[in-house]
């Protein structure tokens, strides 16, 4: 034999109006409705957070705060900048000291780029302009 369906779906509109057509909500119905509304809020909040993360990841440059934090951490762990003498990269062996010097030089270069006014104003346009200039320079030296 089929059992009668005991659970009744209580809509949010019915709860807001003060009850179902048969009368006010019972204590259990109010508790279930409150739990259901809470779950819906959590689900909506989760979807909103996922959308915000997607927008942040798909943004023009994403979140630069992590880059700045890693730059500060690298500066805190590295000694004062070494001389800017650069050798041929192919002839240099990557020893511990060479890696340290390279890290110091690249950190200083990145700091200079991040502080540059044109990069602050429009990072993508500045990078695009730099790449165009580098391509022109490479094309000029190849000829």
């Amino acid at each position: 034999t089929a059992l009668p369906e005991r659970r009744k779906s209580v809509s949010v509109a019915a709860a807001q109006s003060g009850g179902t057509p048969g009368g006010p909500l019972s204590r259990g119905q109010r508790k279930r409705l409150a739990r259901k509304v809470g779950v819906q809020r959590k689900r909506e909040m989760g979807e909103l957070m996922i959308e915000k993360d997607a927008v942040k990841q798909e943004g023009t440059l994403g979140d630069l705060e992590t880059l700045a934090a890693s730059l500060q951490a690298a500066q805190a762990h590295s000694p004062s900048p070494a001389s800017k003498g650069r050798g041929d990269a192919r002839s240099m062996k990557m020893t511990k000291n060479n890696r340290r010097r390279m890290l110091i030089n690249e950190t200083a270069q990145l700091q200079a780029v991040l502080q540059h006014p044109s990069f602050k104003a429009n990072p993508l346009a500045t990078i695009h302009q730099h790449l165009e200039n580098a391509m022109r320079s490479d094309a000029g030296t190849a000829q």
Side-chain angles (χ1 to χ4, degrees):
T1 64
L3 296 174
E5 191 173 327
R6 290 186 172 193
R7 294 184 183 185
K8 294 182 180 178
S9 173
V10 181
S11 68
V12 176
Q16 291 173 350
S17 67
T20 59
L25 293 176
S26 68
R27 180 173 178 242
Q29 288 173 328
R30 286 191 308 265
K31 288 174 80 173
R32 284 190 297 274
L33 180 63
R35 193 176 310 132
K36 183 178 182 181
V37 170
V39 168
Q40 286 176 345
R41 282 186 189 153
K42 285 182 184 179
R43 188 173 294 143
E44 290 171 359
M45 183 60 75
E47 291 171 359
L48 180 64
M49 295 302 291
I50 289 171
E51 289 174 11
K52 283 185 178 182
D53 287 343
V55 168
K56 188 182 281 189
Q57 292 295 327
E58 293 173 2
T60 56
L61 289 178
D63 188 14
L64 290 178
E65 292 175 7
T66 56
L67 179 63
S70 64
L71 178 63
Q72 290 173 354
Q75 284 179 339
H77 288 83
S78 64
S80 63
S83 64
K84 291 192 175 188
R86 293 183 180 167
D88 186 14
R90 287 176 284 237
S91 66
M92 286 178 44
K93 292 184 180 179
M94 289 306 291
T95 63
K96 186 176 181 180
N97 283 336
N98 285 343
R99 268 188 245 117
R100 182 182 55 81
R101 284 187 199 113
M102 187 174 69
L103 176 66
I104 291 169
N105 291 338
E106 288 182 2
T107 302
Q109 181 68 28
L110 181 60
Q111 178 88 27
V113 168
L114 291 175
Q115 298 302 320
H116 197 277
S118 65
F119 184 82
K120 284 183 177 180
N122 192 348
L124 289 179
T126 304
I127 293 170
H128 181 66
Q129 183 66 36
H130 171 71
L131 292 175
E132 284 180 347
N133 292 341
M135 295 298 286
R136 284 189 204 125
S137 173
D138 287 344
T141 58
Q143 292 177 354

